[in-house]
Amino acid sequence: GGEADTYDGFFVVGKGHQRFSEIFRKGLAPGYFYYEELTRNLMEEFEGIPYGACSVSCPSDQTLVNFESFDCVTFVETYYALAATLHEHQKQSRSRARDPFRAFGDHLNRIRYFGGENCGMQDRIHYFTQELEELARSGSAFNVAMANGRRYWKKINYISENGEQYGELAENRQTQKLESILSRTPRFYNPLSKRSNYFPMAQDGDIIAFSAREEGLDVSHCGIVTIVDGRPALNHASAKANKVVIGHDLENYIRSRTRINGFFVYRPIFD
């Protein structure tokens, strides 16, 4: 991952364009779009990809496209954008279909940036639950815990309280305003004690984000759910394993973690 190409507003690491095309073709192969089945079929394409951030510096006004390494958030963002691109492509007639890679980049922007457009660092959504809320607000996902979860109330101010880590971003009034809004936004999650409420409802492709015990922080990890032998499993870019791990039993994962107290689940909507 030492090289990058620019592609009209996108910063493409290594063979990102080629890798996208390979996975995209596999997603197109069935000839129809069914999100749960797509997720089951495509997760193996990500297995073993190294954990990490991009090793080259991406200009803030360009959108990073990287299939060579993932952290937990970029893994979920990339998979969601890929699924959204396949949905769009199979819904359009061939004559009207956009260039798939351009469409993929636009879908990445839609989940990563306020207003769906990258005009610089000020537009980046820095809290993952904010990304999920923006998807829900646009009708592109819904919060599964609204059915039988609990209200989530927490003061979110991790960035503004950690200036040594976040520099100018921490002192930015816009950051503080967004943290205040996020703190007041009524949301729902599954406390760990009520996790059995979600398990029977779990579906392939659910986006899961684990609520952090740490003060001021919304979530500490995220991934994509699949159902394996009737049980929900976690697919995620794991810092501990230093790679993307596929099919990690969700209950076992939760029991091995002491710094989480619940989880959010958002289900993408493709119609």
Side-chain angles (χ1 to χ4, degrees):
E3 300 174 9
D5 292 321
T6 53
Y7 187 95
D8 193 19
F10 300 100
F11 190 82
V12 186
V13 178
K15 296 181 178 177
H17 196 302
Q18 178 185 328
R19 192 70 192 108
F20 163 80
S21 298
E22 290 165 358
I23 302 173
F24 182 77
R25 281 197 298 273
K26 181 174 179 179
L28 281 181
Y32 55 84
F33 182 89
Y34 179 51
Y35 178 63
E36 287 95 317
E37 184 180 319
L38 180 77
T39 304
R40 290 193 297 271
N41 289 343
L42 291 190
M43 275 299 123
E44 66 185 22
E45 296 297 319
F46 296 91
E47 187 168 15
I49 292 176
Y51 181 91
C54 177
S55 59
V56 282
S57 182
C58 174
S60 65
D61 62 346
Q62 292 183 347
T63 298
L64 178 67
V65 176
N66 183 14
F67 282 84
E68 299 199 346
S69 62
F70 293 109
D71 62 29
C72 64
V73 171
T74 57
F75 170 67
V76 173
E77 290 172 337
T78 298
Y79 180 69
Y80 172 81
L82 185 65
T85 306
L86 283 158
H87 175 252
E88 176 189 320
H89 197 80
Q90 295 188 328
K91 209 169 65 166
Q92 302 275 7
S93 65
R94 285 196 181 278
S95 60
R96 289 170 54 220
R98 294 194 290 165
D99 166 42
F101 194 68
R102 156 62 56 189
F104 170 72
D106 287 348
H107 285 296
L108 265 183
N109 280 343
R110 195 156 65 88
I111 189 171
R112 279 185 187 163
Y113 297 95
F114 288 108
E117 200 170 334
N118 178 8
C119 299
M121 186 55 76
Q122 73 276 8
D123 295 313
R124 183 73 161 99
I125 304 174
H126 294 284
Y127 287 99
F128 189 63
T129 56
Q130 182 86 67
E131 287 194 10
L132 298 175
E133 277 297 305
E134 291 297 312
L135 282 181
R137 198 170 288 132
S138 67
S140 301
F142 72 92
N143 184 332
V144 176
M146 288 177 74
N148 56 11
R150 294 276 179 85
R151 287 293 277 271
Y152 176 86
W153 296 109
K154 184 176 182 179
K155 185 174 183 180
I156 305 299
N157 60 1
Y158 189 81
I159 293 174
S160 60
E161 289 294 310
N162 287 275
E164 70 288 347
Q165 188 176 341
Y166 290 99
E168 286 180 19
L169 189 63
E171 293 163 23
N172 186 311
R173 286 183 66 185
Q174 175 77 353
T175 299
Q176 294 163 13
K177 181 182 173 186
L178 289 168
E179 287 177 335
S180 176
I181 292 169
L182 191 57
S183 300
R184 296 195 311 269
T185 302
R187 291 176 292 163
F188 294 84
Y189 81 125
N190 292 95
L192 290 189
S193 61
K194 301 287 184 183
R195 62 187 180 269
S196 59
N197 287 354
Y198 166 68
F199 284 17
M201 301 168 62
Q203 287 186 14
D204 294 295
D206 283 348
I207 298 173
I208 188 167
F210 298 93
S211 54
R213 293 187 187 276
E214 202 164 346
E215 198 172 319
L217 187 62
D218 57 346
V219 296
S220 57
H221 195 54
C222 60
I224 302 285
V225 172
T226 48
I227 309 303
V228 178
D229 298 329
R231 292 168 60 89
L234 177 65
N235 305 274
H236 60 132
S238 166
K240 189 176 179 182
N242 206 31
K243 62 183 179 181
V244 175
V245 175
I246 299 305
H248 191 158
D249 184 82
L250 183 57
E251 174 65 22
N252 289 345
Y253 175 82
I254 287 170
R255 288 184 177 185
S256 72
R257 293 295 177 272
T258 58
R259 296 171 66 187
I260 61 173
N261 55 19
F263 52 87
F264 297 86
V265 178
Y266 284 71
R267 186 165 293 160
I269 298 168
F270 297 106
D271 52 22

